Amino acid sequence: MQKAEDKKMIRLKNANDLKMLRQSGRILKETLQTLKNSAKEKTSLRSLDLTARRLLNEAGAKPAFLGYKPDDRSKPYPDAICASVNAVVVHGLPDDYRLKSGDLLKIDIGVNYKGFYTDSALTIPIGKISSKAARLLETGKEALIKAISAAKAGSTTGDIGFIIQRTAEDAGFKVIKELTGHGIGFEL
């Protein structure tokens, strides 16, 4: 049986909360765009992390991942972004690796703007990528578009997940079922 202190109440967002989330989202979007434009051959993952830290600081925000420590981890996350290259699916640590042509870079970033959290990720092709990698990116975009159109009143997260999985599998790709999304808003 679940203890009362383990239960969390859902806090509905009011008009001011939504305004603040939009501001956090704008900072996130601008930061991701700058990181995308900076991700070129010979750029190090560490330099992208430092750029993210600087941009967020200049915007009056904080990196939501930096210092984040889920209960099942022994150490807090040490960086502002997750930078995952090629076969590393998510949550890669930014290091001195320098990007090269053919790489697929995934950047995941969370923003804490005055206590309002937003989070997004994108995949960036570096230089000339393989036709399979290009097909993977197109399939991901198609799955996202279909998932967004399915996200409406009455739909469940299972409905949305099914569309994503079906789109991926129909194109010959697999989904990693152990990875799921998470909410945003007042905490990561």
Side-chain angles (χ1 to χ4, degrees):
M1 185 158 178
Q2 192 174 28
K3 296 177 186 175
E5 62 268 12
D6 292 339
K7 293 181 183 179
K8 288 192 175 188
M9 298 294 293
I10 295 174
R11 179 177 154 197
L12 298 178
K13 295 167 183 75
N14 61 36
N16 185 62
D17 296 336
L18 295 174
K19 176 184 171 190
M20 295 300 290
L21 283 167
R22 280 191 291 275
Q23 289 177 332
S24 182
R26 273 192 286 283
I27 294 167
L28 174 65
K29 177 185 175 186
E30 291 167 5
T31 302
L32 265 177
Q33 186 61 50
T34 299
L35 293 175
K36 179 181 178 182
N37 294 340
S38 301
K40 308 279 185 220
E41 291 180 54
K42 300 182 182 177
T43 301
S44 76
L45 301 180
R46 187 171 318 285
S47 71
L48 293 172
D49 185 73
L50 292 173
T51 298
R53 291 176 193 230
R54 179 182 54 77
L55 292 170
L56 294 178
N57 184 57
E58 289 171 1
K62 298 175 188 172
F65 300 163
L66 182 63
Y68 178 67
K69 185 184 168 300
D71 292 338
D72 63 337
R73 302 288 179 197
S74 61
K75 294 187 276 185
Y77 191 76
D79 297 298
I81 66 171
C82 297
S84 310
V85 180
N86 300 328
V88 178
V89 179
V90 291
H91 305 147
L93 295 171
D95 58 17
D96 292 326
Y97 178 81
R98 293 195 176 272
L99 296 167
K100 59 184 188 274
S101 185
D103 283 342
L104 283 183
L105 169 65
K106 286 80 69 184
I107 296 177
D108 187 1
I109 184 170
V111 171
N112 173 357
Y113 178 69
K114 299 182 179 182
F116 293 86
Y117 290 80
T118 52
D119 178 12
S120 189
L122 61 100
T123 302
I124 305 161
I126 305 299
K128 183 172 171 40
I129 60 171
S130 70
S131 59
K132 184 176 183 180
R135 198 165 50 81
L136 174 66
L137 291 176
E138 279 302 313
T139 301
K141 184 176 182 178
E142 178 185 351
L144 176 63
I145 291 167
K146 288 180 177 180
I148 290 170
S149 65
K152 54 188 170 197
S155 294
T156 67
T157 55
D159 296 332
I160 296 165
F162 176 79
I163 288 170
I164 293 168
Q165 182 173 343
R166 169 68 55 85
T167 304
E169 290 175 349
D170 285 352
F173 296 106
K174 296 178 181 176
V175 296
I176 299 172
K177 294 180 182 181
E178 293 80 13
L179 295 172
T180 61
H182 56 82
I184 57 162
F186 306 114
E187 62 184 307
L188 186 62

